[in-house]
Amino acid sequence: MQRVTIWDEQVTTGERAALAPGRPEGLDRSPDVLVIGGGVIGLAAAAMCRRAGLGRIVLLEQSPRLVPGASSGNGGAIAPDMHVLTDPAEFVAFGRRSRDLYRELDAEWGGAIGAWATRWLDIRPAEQIPAGVWRRLDADEVRELEPDVRVPDGAAAALVEGQLAVNPQRLAAALARRAGQVATGVGLLGVSEQGGRVCTVHTTAGDFSPGALVVATGLLPRPWHRLVPQRWIKGHMLAVARGPWRLRSVLAGPFGGGTPLPWGGVVCGGTFDDGDTTRDVRPEVADPMAAALATLVPAAAGARIAHRWCCFRPYVEGRQPVIDRLPGVDNAWFAGGHFTTGIMMAPATGAALAEWIATGAAPADVRTFTLPGQRNPA
C-alpha cells in the first residue's frame, strides 16, 4: 500500500519526529488515563483528557508511526454542514461542535493545527438540490464565483460556506505534542477485569494498570470484536499537481470534485472499494477521480497526477461513530467506527470522552453514538 500522500510533503522535520516518538524511557505503568490507538481519534482523546486536567495520560500505538491508517491519508475535510441531508441532526450538531473546537484549539495552540477556511460547491442535477437548506447557485452564478468551473447542463450548485480543512498529519503532530506520554511500536494483547473494571491492560511492552481506559483502534479489538458487525473499507485518494486553473472552492457531488490546496494542486477522493482487501494502490480505480474533476474544471483535463494512495476506513454497523462505554466495565470506553469522518469528529469525540471520564455520566451529545444493541444511561 502506497503511503506517500500529498500531506507527507507538507510537514516539518519536527512534525515528523512527533509522529514517530518510539518508546520513551520510564513509561508510566499506572496512568490516570490509558489510550490504546494512535490514530486521530486516540490522539484527540489523549490531548483533550490532558487539557481537561485528568492527570497522567499515556497513549500507545502498535505501529512504528502515529496515524498509520486513514487518519493520515484522508482529505482533511471538516465540513459538518455538508452532512445536513445525509445524517441525523445529532451527527451534524456534533460535527459543528467539533468544528468550533478546531477554531478554539488552533487559537489556543498558536496555529499549530493550521486549519484553513473552506467553502463548498455541491454540484448536482438541479432537482436534487432542496430549497431552503443551502444557497442555490445557477451556472452563471457559479461561473462568477469560480470562473474556471463549468456546471453540466441541467445542474446547479449548493453553496456551503464556513467549513474548514487541515493537513491531517500536521493535526496529528499538534495533538501528539499535547497528548501526554506517547509511545509507538506497542500493541494491545488483552485486558484483565476485576469487580466490573479493567484492572490490567496487557501489551507488548508489559502491563499497565490505568484508572480509565480508552480504546480508539478504529474497530473493536479482541475481546470485544464480536459485539457488532464491523469491517475495514478500502478507499483510494489522489492529488493532481498545480495547473492552469483557479479554484477556491471545494467541489463535491455526483459529477466529481476535489479540494484545492493553499499551496497548489487538488486532492480528489475517496472511493469506496468495499470487498477489496488488498493493500495495493490501483490506478484504474484512482485515476477516474482526476477525469471527474476535469468534468467540472475543464482546464484540469490531462492534469498530472502527483500522488495516488489508499487507506482503510473503520466501518461499524449503522455508519455512525461509536462513543460508548465498553459493556461490563465501568472504567473503559470505545471510540471508533468514524468511517470517513474521523478528522471532522476528533476534537468533539475527545472532549466527550474527557467529560464522561471526569463525571461518570454520558454527555448528552453522544447518547446516540452507542454500540449497536447498547443504550447509554440518560
Side-chain angles (χ1 to χ4, degrees), residues 84-150:
V84 167
L85 299 181
T86 58
D87 289 284
E90 296 86 354
F91 178 99
V92 176
F94 196 73
R96 288 170 173 163
R97 166 64 176 148
S98 211
R99 179 187 58 195
D100 293 344
L101 273 171
Y102 269 116
R103 295 188 176 112
E104 183 179 322
L105 293 173
D106 217 6
E108 184 179 313
W109 297 346
I113 295 173
W116 65 89
T118 62
R119 69 184 180 207
W120 288 61
L121 287 172
D122 189 315
I123 300 173
R124 61 182 58 246
E127 67 274 11
Q128 295 181 11
I129 299 177
V133 178
W134 299 311
R135 180 184 167 195
R136 176 170 160 168
L137 305 181
D138 61 24
D140 290 337
E141 290 171 313
V142 170
R143 189 174 297 110
E144 183 176 346
L145 189 68
E146 293 285 357
D148 290 335
V149 172
R150 296 294 178 266

Side-chain angles (χ1 to χ4, degrees), residues 7 74-78 102 106 113-116 164-171 263 343:
W7 310 117
N74 63 85
I78 303 160
Y102 269 116
D106 217 6
I113 295 173
W116 65 89
L164 298 174
V166 293
N167 176 333
Q169 296 189 28
R170 175 158 294 129
L171 165 65
W263 53 88
I343 292 291

Side-chain angles (χ1 to χ4, degrees), residues 90-91 93-95 97 320-325 333-335 338 345-357 359 361-371 374-378:
E90 296 86 354
F91 178 99
F94 196 73
R97 166 64 176 148
Q320 293 293 297
V322 174
I323 306 168
D324 202 358
R325 203 192 299 264
W333 288 261
F334 173 71
H338 287 72
M345 297 298 208
T349 298
L353 288 164
E355 179 183 343
W356 200 340
I357 292 168
T359 65
D365 57 358
V366 301
R367 286 180 182 156
T368 62
F369 297 151
T370 58
L371 280 165
Q374 307 293 322
R375 176 175 292 180
N376 287 331

Side-chain angles (χ1 to χ4, degrees), residues 26-67:
L27 270 174
D28 188 342
R29 297 291 168 168
S30 301
D32 296 289
V33 181
L34 175 65
V35 179
I36 302 294
V40 71
I41 297 298
L43 287 167
M48 297 305 278
C49 283
R50 191 163 179 249
R51 183 175 184 255
L54 297 190
R56 305 184 317 279
I57 314 297
V58 171
L59 180 145
L60 307 177
E61 164 57 44
Q62 68 176 356
S63 297
R65 186 178 184 270
L66 297 170
V67 290

Side-chain angles (χ1 to χ4, degrees), residues 84-293:
V84 167
L85 299 181
T86 58
D87 289 284
E90 296 86 354
F91 178 99
V92 176
F94 196 73
R96 288 170 173 163
R97 166 64 176 148
S98 211
R99 179 187 58 195
D100 293 344
L101 273 171
Y102 269 116
R103 295 188 176 112
E104 183 179 322
L105 293 173
D106 217 6
E108 184 179 313
W109 297 346
I113 295 173
W116 65 89
T118 62
R119 69 184 180 207
W120 288 61
L121 287 172
D122 189 315
I123 300 173
R124 61 182 58 246
E127 67 274 11
Q128 295 181 11
I129 299 177
V133 178
W134 299 311
R135 180 184 167 195
R136 176 170 160 168
L137 305 181
D138 61 24
D140 290 337
E141 290 171 313
V142 170
R143 189 174 297 110
E144 183 176 346
L145 189 68
E146 293 285 357
D148 290 335
V149 172
R150 296 294 178 266
V151 176
D153 290 343
L159 174 63
V160 183
E161 300 184 280
Q163 312 306 295
L164 298 174
V166 293
N167 176 333
Q169 296 189 28
R170 175 158 294 129
L171 165 65
L175 292 170
R177 288 168 171 159
R178 294 160 178 85
Q181 200 174 33
V182 178
T184 50
V186 179
L188 175 68
L189 297 177
V191 301
S192 295
E193 301 175 15
Q194 185 174 2
R197 294 175 62 84
V198 171
C199 58
T200 307
V201 177
H202 310 288
T203 79
T204 57
D207 290 349
F208 293 80
S209 300
L213 172 66
V214 173
V215 178
T217 50
L219 299 182
L220 283 155
R222 296 176 184 274
W224 307 284
H225 64 295
R226 291 191 178 93
L227 289 176
V228 296
Q230 58 178 10
R231 64 187 186 276
W232 296 100
I233 296 181
K234 183 179 179 179
H236 280 79
M237 304 283 295
L238 64 77
V240 300
R242 181 195 301 269
W245 63 80
R246 292 172 295 167
L247 185 62
R248 296 178 295 274
S249 304
V250 180
L251 304 180
F255 298 105
T259 300
L261 301 173
W263 53 88
V266 181
V267 171
C268 301
T271 62
F272 298 104
D273 311 325
D274 202 2
D276 182 355
T277 60
T278 71
R279 304 181 72 83
D280 300 327
V281 175
R282 298 172 59 195
E284 69 274 16
V285 175
D287 291 3
M289 292 186 287
L293 173 65

